[in-house]
């Protein structure tokens, strides 16, 4: 029997929630996050401050009893000379909610809701920080002009370079990029960023591989997994693009549904 969830999307919850609601809902978000991430990262929604909640786009899925089954959050960031970008942040799903395609449903609904704020032909900039091959591969497949990716051709656009530099100089904490990490602009990689965190993965851990071996090889050649390297990806998306992707199945795959723990693959 298909499980049913009730979805709620909140733009900039730090500007909307009362103090009591903020405390209650952040506690629920942290509870679900602790089931997915070890060691638990103190960043993003988990910090729970009104300031930290004010640049987020959040979607929650709740079961029939009202309990939080999972959530997906993104960060709205301003990049000088480029404008607002959508940074794909966290998706966490309770273990008992696995197998219900909840990760797909959360991430696709969140992106759709954001794109509905723009004309259907206008492409917005989207970013992703990850060391998980499935996440990197899905971003490459689903985003327009995704970089770095095997299909990208031509010089790196100036806007992409500005976005990368903004992450390096202003927005590391938004993606849990460690202060000691080195920004490698030529590779679009934060060297050593994920070392010792819940986001570090092993290159040969097949449960986090993409279904396309060529994509796996492409990213394996660019990341030193043992050092905790993480890649910043930049792409574009519009409502027209998303409609095409829905026709073939949106496949960002943020949290794993298999294995012992459902872990976010990017942030």
């Amino acid at each position: 029997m298909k499980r049913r969830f009730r979805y709620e999307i909140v733009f900039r919850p730090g500007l909307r929630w009362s103090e009591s609601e903020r405390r209650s809902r952040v506690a629920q978000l942290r509870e679900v996050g602790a089931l997915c991430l070890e060691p638990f990262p103190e960043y993003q929604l988990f910090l729970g401050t009104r300031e930290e909640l004010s640049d987020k786009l959040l979607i929650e899925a709740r079961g029939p009893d009202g309990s939080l089954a999972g959530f997906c959050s993104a960060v709205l960031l301003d990049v000088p000379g480029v404008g607002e970008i959508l940074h794909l942040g966290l998706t966490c799903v309770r273990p008992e909610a696995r197998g219900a395609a909840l990760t797909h449903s959360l991430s696709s609904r969140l992106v759709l809701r954001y794109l509905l704020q723009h004309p259907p032909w206008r492409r917005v900039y989207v970013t992703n920080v990850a060391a998980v091959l499935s996440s990197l591969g899905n971003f490459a497949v689903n985003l327009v002009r995704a970089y770095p990716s095997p299909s990208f051709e031509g010089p790196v656009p100036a806007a992409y370079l500005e976005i990368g530099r903004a992450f390096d100089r202003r927005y590391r904490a938004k993606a849990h990029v460690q202060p000691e990490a080195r920004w490698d602009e030529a590779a679009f990689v934060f060297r050593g960023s994920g070392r010792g965190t819940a986001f570090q993965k092993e290159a040969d851990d097949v449960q986090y591989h993409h279904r396309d071996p060529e994509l796996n090889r492409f990213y394996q050649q660019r990341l030193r997994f043992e050092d905790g390297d993480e890649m910043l990806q930049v792409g574009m998306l519009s409502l027209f693009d998303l409609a095409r992707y829905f026709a073939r199945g949106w496949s960002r795959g943020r949290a794993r549904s298999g294995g012992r723990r459902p872990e976010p693959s990017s942030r």
Side-chain angles (χ1 to χ4, degrees):
M1 180 178 178
K2 186 176 180 180
R3 281 172 279 186
R4 295 186 178 181
F5 300 98
R6 174 173 57 85
Y7 296 91
E8 180 185 0
I9 296 179
V10 186
F11 270 83
R12 303 184 185 275
L15 304 179
R16 299 177 180 273
W17 288 345
S18 67
E19 280 302 301
S20 61
E21 187 176 19
R22 179 179 64 85
R23 289 192 295 269
S24 173
R25 294 180 72 156
V26 168
Q28 295 173 54
L29 293 167
R30 288 176 64 91
E31 178 187 359
V32 174
L35 297 172
C36 303
L37 294 161
E38 185 181 351
F40 186 74
E42 294 288 351
Y43 90 114
Q44 234 245 42
L45 291 172
F46 301 143
L47 292 175
T49 64
R50 194 164 291 281
E51 178 182 6
E52 191 63 34
L53 292 167
S54 294
D55 62 3
K56 302 298 185 293
L57 175 56
L58 170 69
I59 179 169
E60 296 178 337
R62 295 184 179 272
D65 62 353
S67 63
L68 183 62
F71 70 88
C72 179
S73 71
V75 191
L76 305 174
L77 300 174
D78 179 65
V79 176
V82 177
E84 184 177 87
I85 66 170
L86 180 71
H87 177 64
L88 300 174
L90 279 168
T91 300
C92 295
V93 174
R94 285 184 178 275
E96 59 267 29
R98 286 179 276 174
L102 189 52
T103 295
H104 164 90
S105 184
L106 284 165
S107 57
S108 59
R109 287 168 186 259
L110 181 143
V111 172
L112 174 60
R113 185 67 178 82
Y114 180 74
L115 291 177
L116 284 171
Q117 308 302 304
H118 303 84
W121 58 86
R122 179 185 168 189
R123 283 178 171 162
V124 301
Y125 291 103
V126 184
T127 58
N128 177 49
V129 172
V132 173
L133 296 172
S134 60
S135 175
L136 295 168
N138 285 333
F139 191 97
V141 169
N142 289 327
L143 275 290
V144 176
R145 295 279 288 166
Y147 176 83
S149 73
S151 62
F152 186 90
E153 296 179 353
V156 182
Y160 285 25
L161 294 172
E162 289 303 316
I163 291 170
R165 292 162 187 166
F167 264 90
D168 177 32
R169 298 167 185 169
R170 301 175 59 182
Y171 296 132
R172 287 183 173 226
K174 298 294 183 181
H176 205 56
V177 172
Q178 303 306 297
E180 65 273 15
R182 179 177 65 85
W183 170 238
D184 183 346
E185 186 168 285
F188 255 57
V189 170
F190 283 101
R191 301 292 182 190
S193 171
R195 187 185 298 115
T197 73
F199 302 104
Q200 184 173 11
K201 298 293 182 287
E202 296 180 3
D204 298 326
D205 192 342
V206 296
Q207 69 174 319
Y208 297 116
H209 281 197
H210 194 272
R211 61 186 175 277
D212 185 340
E214 290 299 322
L215 285 171
N216 292 328
R217 283 192 285 272
F218 177 85
Y219 294 110
Q220 283 172 327
Q221 290 170 0
R222 286 158 176 76
L223 296 171
R224 297 190 293 267
F225 291 84
E226 66 278 9
D227 292 339
D229 286 358
E230 296 181 296
M231 180 169 284
L232 169 65
Q233 289 176 297
V234 183
M236 294 182 289
L237 200 61
S238 72
L239 274 172
F240 285 157
D241 300 322
L242 195 62
R244 185 171 73 252
Y245 297 152
F246 276 148
R248 75 180 188 220
W250 177 261
S251 60
R252 268 211 72 248
R254 301 291 307 283
R256 304 295 299 185
S257 59
R260 297 193 181 101
R261 299 175 62 85
E263 298 185 49
S265 56
S266 61
R267 57 196 192 277

